[in-house]
Amino acid sequence: MVTFTTIDTEFAAATGDNVNSNAGGAGTSTFDYPPNGTKDLVITSKEGDPDPYTFEVGDIYEVSFGGAHSAVLTDAVVIRSDEISFASGHAVVFEGTDENGDLVQVVWSPGFDLEQWYWDHFEGGVSPGFYVYDTDPNSEYSAPVICFEAETLIATPRGPVRAASLAPGMMVETVDHGPQMLLWVGQSVTRGTGQMAPVEFPPGAIGNDRTLVLSQQHRVLHASPMAMLMFDTSEVLVPARSHAMLGVAGAAIVERPVVRYVHLLFERHELVWANGAICESLFLGDVARRALDSEARDEIATHFPELDLSVKGDDPFEPVRPILRSYEARALLGPLRGAAGATPSGSALASRDMCKLAAL
């Protein structure tokens, strides 16, 4: 089972007469007033769910929240899961009955400040509403993950090792700090479709010596004079998805029936060599913490007891290089559309030469 904890400003509920009120038109419900009357939304997948990270209409989760209208929905059904058409973010609507048998709907908007939107549209003392059906059936929400495909070869002091074969306590070569010990390794198997579909970089695209397969949100090192001009630093981290969306370096999102992803966690955010390309290790920022289930967070907490791993906490790590936002990545990579990506910096390449890259 996978548990998702959320940010309070990214969800709201409809109860009582607000459910299926049609006040905003056919197929709408009205938000309870005020939206910040609810808090601490927890979403837990059901045992046996083959892909709990993808929220499709008809999927069933246990949903609970606190506050003025607290409720536990043991079998909440996803009735809507799509992109918010006018903003960056998604809407997932759950519907189920609470402990009293009353119908309750919960709107979760990962990546979108629902509370602010509510107040921006609160007019004449009337709460705005939301659609209770898919407005775009082809854009279901998938919780992002930051990880390597299982067969990726990671550089270690004893040579390249499959990501899936790595284990806590093993040493891995890093760009900045030499060999470093892995503190935690996580693996997940999911359908390789939608937002969970991996990005493939062909050989030579970004310094990789063979096809490199990463999750869409996994960031790779980009080094160029343009980065220095735009961001006052020659090396930045850019999501794999940004390369694919612009067709840079031949990168493309390639769906597959199933994909196994591997997370690698060190004492700090690091850069490692994956199939010869320089990529980040797991960064415990907001996106990654949302994607980790409660068991994984508990396990990581044993190594980092001083860190706040809740999605409401500050980022517990400092990024190893500046992390670009999507619009910054588009501005940087746009001129490279259809071209090979920038290679890592000279200092990074020099460090790479010290690694043993012979096959096992």
Side-chain angles (χ1 to χ4, degrees):
M1 294 186 296
V2 177
T3 298
F4 301 86
T5 53
T6 70
I7 298 174
D8 286 347
T9 57
E10 294 183 353
F11 89 96
T15 60
D17 292 339
N18 286 333
V19 175
N20 299 327
S21 64
N22 293 321
T28 64
S29 291
T30 303
F31 289 108
D32 285 351
Y33 173 88
N36 54 1
T38 52
K39 62 180 182 179
D40 301 329
L41 175 65
V42 178
I43 303 164
T44 304
S45 67
K46 292 293 187 177
E47 193 75 42
D49 187 337
D51 186 7
Y53 293 97
T54 299
F55 294 80
E56 294 185 322
V57 171
D59 287 349
I60 300 176
Y61 292 79
E62 179 173 305
V63 174
S64 65
F65 59 90
H69 300 285
S70 61
V72 176
L73 313 179
T74 304
D75 295 305
V77 180
V78 177
I79 60 174
R80 175 186 172 188
S81 179
D82 55 17
E83 287 189 79
I84 298 173
S85 60
F86 54 84
S88 174
H90 285 76
V92 181
V93 179
F94 301 91
E95 181 178 86
T97 54
D98 63 12
E99 306 92 314
N100 300 317
D102 296 324
L103 195 62
V104 176
Q105 292 171 342
V106 177
V107 186
W108 177 36
S109 60
F112 179 72
D113 190 335
L114 183 61
E115 183 177 321
Q116 183 61 55
W117 179 88
Y118 175 99
W119 292 119
D120 289 344
H121 295 80
F122 183 75
E123 298 179 358
V126 178
S127 293
F130 58 93
Y131 291 102
V132 295
Y133 60 87
D134 259 7
T135 59
D136 182 358
N138 297 315
S139 63
E140 71 275 0
Y141 174 67
S142 294
V145 290
I146 300 175
C147 36
F148 301 95
E149 192 272 333
E151 297 302 314
T152 305
L153 295 179
I154 305 298
T156 77
R158 63 186 184 91
V161 177
R162 294 170 59 248
S165 298
L166 293 170
M170 295 180 66
M171 304 298 288
V172 170
E173 292 284 0
T174 70
V175 171
D176 297 331
H177 303 104
Q180 292 294 307
M181 181 184 295
L182 279 168
L183 296 185
W184 179 79
V185 177
Q187 296 194 32
S188 59
V189 178
T190 183
R191 285 177 292 180
T193 59
Q195 291 190 51
M196 301 302 289
V199 173
E200 293 189 5
F201 291 89
I206 53 172
N208 48 310
D209 51 23
R210 64 187 69 195
T211 299
L212 176 65
V213 182
L214 302 171
S215 62
Q216 293 185 32
Q217 299 301 327
H218 203 132
R219 290 172 284 253
V220 301
L221 184 70
H222 173 102
S224 69
M226 182 61 72
M228 174 63 77
L229 180 64
M230 296 177 65
F231 306 109
D232 199 30
T233 178
S234 62
E235 296 185 348
V236 293
L237 292 173
V238 180
R241 176 180 173 83
S242 295
H243 290 79
M245 297 304 290
L246 293 171
V248 173
I253 296 173
V254 180
E255 294 194 340
R256 54 178 67 181
V258 175
V259 60
R260 180 183 293 274
Y261 284 128
V262 179
H263 317 272
L264 304 179
L265 181 69
F266 298 90
E267 185 177 10
R268 61 176 73 85
H269 194 210
E270 297 280 9
L271 294 176
V272 302
W273 285 277
N275 288 359
I278 298 179
C279 307
E280 67 171 338
S281 65
L282 179 61
F283 175 64
L284 290 178
D286 176 55
V287 170
R289 282 177 286 172
R290 292 182 196 214
L292 293 173
D293 59 38
S294 56
E295 182 178 347
R297 283 195 294 271
D298 290 344
E299 187 176 350
I300 292 171
T302 64
H303 300 289
F304 301 95
E306 74 281 7
L307 300 182
D308 180 4
L309 295 178
S310 70
V311 296
K312 302 174 186 177
D314 295 330
D315 287 350
F317 282 0
E318 288 293 326
V320 66
R321 297 290 190 278
I323 294 173
L324 298 192
R325 299 177 183 273
S326 58
Y327 69 88
E328 294 173 325
R330 288 194 298 270
L332 176 65
L333 298 180
L336 299 175
R337 187 188 298 267
T343 57
S345 66
S347 60
L349 286 174
S351 299
R352 176 188 170 190
D353 290 340
M354 299 174 64
C355 297
K356 299 177 182 178
L357 296 177
L360 286 173

